[in-house]
Amino acid sequence: MSNPMRPPRAPRPSVSPSPLTRPRARQGPAPRSALPAAVLAGALLLTGCSDTADTESPGSTSAKVNPAAPTPSWAPVTGTPQVIPAVRDFRRADGRGWRPSRGARVVVPAGEKSNVADEAQLMARDLGGLTVVYGDQTVRPGDIEVKLTGNSGAGQANNVPVQGADDEAYTLTARGTRLTLTAPTDAGIFYGTRTVKQAVRAAGGLPEGTIEDRPDRPQRGMSLDNARKPYTQDWIEARLREIADLKLNQFQLHFSDDQGFRIQSDTHPEVVSADHLTKAQVRQIIKLARSLHISVVPELDSPGHLGAVLEHHPDLLLHRASGSVVPGAIDISNPEAAPLIDSLLKEMSELFTNPKGAPAYWHLGGDEYQALLSSTPATTYPQLTRAARQKYGPNGTLEDLATGWLNDRQKTVEGQGKNRIEAWNDGFFSSPAVSADKNRMVDYWTGKESGKRDPALFLREGRNVMNFNDEFLYYVLGEPNQFFYPTGQRIYENWTPRVIRGTQPVAVPSSMTGPDRIPGARFAIWSDRSQAQTQQQVAAGIRLPLAALAQKTWDPRTPALSWTDFKALANRV
């Protein structure tokens, strides 16, 4: 996604990478998942008992309260909950709040086979190994009760697909030394467990009162260019855990480009790079993502950025009238081009499975097709011109042909069950004869090269727009073409989901900029100069920008913390 023609711009401060510890698998306590030993030890020392009994905790209708159990004693947790992203609403109450203490348990009234059991088990491990108990148990002082609310709790499948931000809401109540976590779905329960984990890391516990929390934008995530720089399974899974703790819920995987095709293929093994993920590894990544309530968005880019595939199919490379080759571009007028790409799309669609009823994402790419950057396309690429006129009439254009190509690729993946289709903004054109499929979302990354349509135009014509603003959200290795490593501070202080292009909010009525039209944003890591940073340096460099993105997509209000305080909190949690 680099742009050789972008005009110069003033440098911005770069992130100073520092080493980052990689977490282990989710099956056991992990360095970045479990509490630091000092925090946990301090919490568990606070286990003196009082002789007073507590009244029933709010929301504890599914379990009994033991009035005879001793009440833990600890120093009151003060202030507001210390978490990233900040909670949307906190109603303070009088009391000591809640801290993890010796003998505290996680109580799951719905039982061991319920769809919140895995969230409860994860929280218990994160808090240093609390005991999890199931069914009609007594809720004792110091315990956490976890349960679903409303009709959605009955008979739900595990990791139930969410349909919007309301499904990700949760409530946490700390009262009388007990903690109650409720939500309409297990996704909401999961986000509540992230709040508990962070609050204990940052302040030792939660203050007395009730948190009502939900996200502003329903789609919040990270995109990774795994094609130009291969990343290991361990690295990817560590980032999944990291973004899950920040309540981000999407992971886009750009696995094919000019420099590499990084997933095992059985239909076309010749295109696969030596350093790649096996299908078994991809399935493990998908399984982990699903357990963390993260949707995976696969991207197989075409008709450009296909160099790794076309290296083994040179007869399909696009040629100019002069006979020179256009690197990475497939000749979409060649009748053998579509079957090759469709076979890869079908195979990869079968690999990237989706739970029944879940949004099934697929990214078509569509950006930087070099034929469309020519000042004289009709004469430079006469074969494309002939094909366009043959298919769309005497006035058919290259834009029509490229739009038709993506429409056909969309039909291919929709035939495999994908129903949330995306493409880059420079893959949408004002084509006179054919229009881009109306159900395709615009992923807006730049307005500086081909496809310079303002995001306002897409919103006005009724399309939804995902924010990938390359002024704020593009981490391009080696900083080529006037890119600079984005800083968390700049995102935190100057960006919102409405700032899609450049540095100013998109110029449309506010009714067009809500979560239903701009569903969110993804922070993109591009590997243009793959050796410029190690995997560890990338992990360190994206840490604060991801935290800032999480804050700005979760809560639409101006953040309460200064950047200095936010950064300090990010370092604690």
Side-chain angles (χ1 to χ4, degrees), residues 302-304 306 310 316-318 328-332 337-338 340-341 369 405:
S302 81
L306 281 169
L310 296 176
L316 298 181
L317 277 163
L318 178 65
I330 198 167
D331 185 349
I332 57 178
L340 171 64
I341 303 307
Y369 189 51
W405 169 272

Side-chain angles (χ1 to χ4, degrees), residues 64-115:
K64 302 174 238 179
V65 173
N66 182 358
T71 301
S73 179
W74 50 63
V77 183
T78 60
T80 59
Q82 298 293 295
V83 296
I84 295 175
V87 301
R88 298 283 294 274
D89 181 67
F90 172 62
R91 298 189 299 278
R92 193 184 313 276
D94 292 332
R96 290 172 290 158
W98 179 90
R99 297 177 186 267
S101 57
R102 184 175 290 117
R105 307 167 308 159
V106 181
V107 181
V108 185
E112 190 171 1
K113 296 185 182 299
S114 68
N115 67 333

Side-chain angles (χ1 to χ4, degrees), residues 443-477:
D443 284 355
Y444 203 100
W445 71 282
T446 188
K448 299 180 180 66
E449 50 179 71
S450 178
K452 294 180 180 177
R453 299 175 67 195
D454 190 285
L457 299 177
F458 291 114
L459 291 167
R460 290 183 186 278
E461 70 183 31
R463 293 191 182 275
N464 292 345
V465 177
M466 175 66 78
N467 193 324
F468 277 84
N469 189 334
D470 65 348
E471 290 280 343
F472 294 90
L473 306 179
Y474 258 42
Y475 193 94
V476 185
L477 297 194

Side-chain angles (χ1 to χ4, degrees), residues 209-495:
T210 297
I211 294 169
E212 295 280 356
D213 204 13
R214 63 184 295 276
D216 175 43
R217 305 287 160 161
Q219 298 185 36
R220 313 169 302 279
M222 183 187 90
S223 175
L224 177 67
D225 172 11
N226 191 50
R228 281 174 275 196
K229 180 182 180 69
Y231 291 83
T232 65
Q233 178 187 357
D234 283 350
W235 191 94
I236 292 171
E237 291 184 346
R239 302 289 77 71
L240 290 175
R241 294 186 182 92
E242 179 179 355
I243 66 175
D245 278 357
L246 293 168
K247 302 183 177 76
L248 301 178
N249 63 5
Q250 290 186 331
F251 172 66
Q252 180 175 329
L253 187 63
H254 177 88
F255 61 84
S256 173
D257 212 301
D258 295 340
Q259 293 77 9
F261 191 101
R262 302 291 178 183
I263 294 178
Q264 171 190 346
S265 170
D266 300 319
T267 61
H268 292 282
E270 73 280 1
V271 309
V272 180
S273 302
D275 195 344
H276 66 273
L277 296 169
T278 67
K279 287 187 174 181
Q281 289 175 312
V282 172
R283 292 187 185 100
Q284 289 168 355
I285 289 169
I286 294 169
K287 181 179 179 180
L288 175 63
R290 193 171 297 163
S291 74
L292 298 171
H293 300 274
I294 295 171
S295 296
V296 178
V297 184
E299 181 191 354
L300 202 169
D301 205 344
S302 81
H305 293 281
L306 281 169
V309 172
L310 296 176
E311 180 182 355
H312 303 277
H313 296 271
D315 53 315
L316 298 181
L317 277 163
L318 178 65
H319 289 73
R320 301 180 182 89
S322 64
S324 63
V325 169
V326 183
I330 198 167
D331 185 349
I332 57 178
S333 69
N334 190 317
E336 296 181 6
L340 171 64
I341 303 307
D342 282 347
S343 65
L344 287 168
L345 287 171
K346 290 176 181 177
E347 180 183 11
M348 294 299 135
S349 294
E350 292 174 358
L351 175 62
F352 287 90
T353 57
N354 303 93
K356 184 178 180 180
Y361 294 94
W362 194 271
H363 202 296
L364 297 171
D367 62 299
E368 296 181 321
Y369 189 51
Q370 293 301 307
L372 296 168
L373 301 179
S374 172
S375 58
T376 57
T379 55
T380 303
Y381 303 98
Q383 75 277 37
L384 298 184
T385 301
R386 288 193 299 270
R389 291 173 179 172
Q390 182 179 2
K391 188 171 184 178
Y392 298 108
N395 296 320
T397 66
L398 267 67
E399 287 83 2
D400 292 325
L401 197 66
T403 300
W405 169 272
L406 282 188
N407 284 349
D408 289 343
R409 306 293 76 74
Q410 178 164 342
K411 291 176 183 176
T412 297
V413 295
E414 286 178 337
Q416 300 298 119
K418 308 306 178 186
N419 55 24
R420 299 286 182 91
I421 314 301
E422 306 175 11
W424 299 111
N425 64 284
D426 48 332
F428 290 79
F429 309 99
S430 299
S431 306
V434 59
S435 297
D437 190 289
K438 62 183 177 60
N439 293 322
R440 188 182 313 153
M441 185 162 69
V442 180
D443 284 355
Y444 203 100
W445 71 282
T446 188
K448 299 180 180 66
E449 50 179 71
S450 178
K452 294 180 180 177
R453 299 175 67 195
D454 190 285
L457 299 177
F458 291 114
L459 291 167
R460 290 183 186 278
E461 70 183 31
R463 293 191 182 275
N464 292 345
V465 177
M466 175 66 78
N467 193 324
F468 277 84
N469 189 334
D470 65 348
E471 290 280 343
F472 294 90
L473 306 179
Y474 258 42
Y475 193 94
V476 185
L477 297 194
E479 301 181 310
N481 305 313
Q482 301 302 311
F483 281 109
F484 298 93
Y485 293 128
T487 66
Q489 181 173 1
R490 193 162 182 262
I491 296 169
Y492 190 77
E493 294 179 344
N494 301 120
W495 176 85

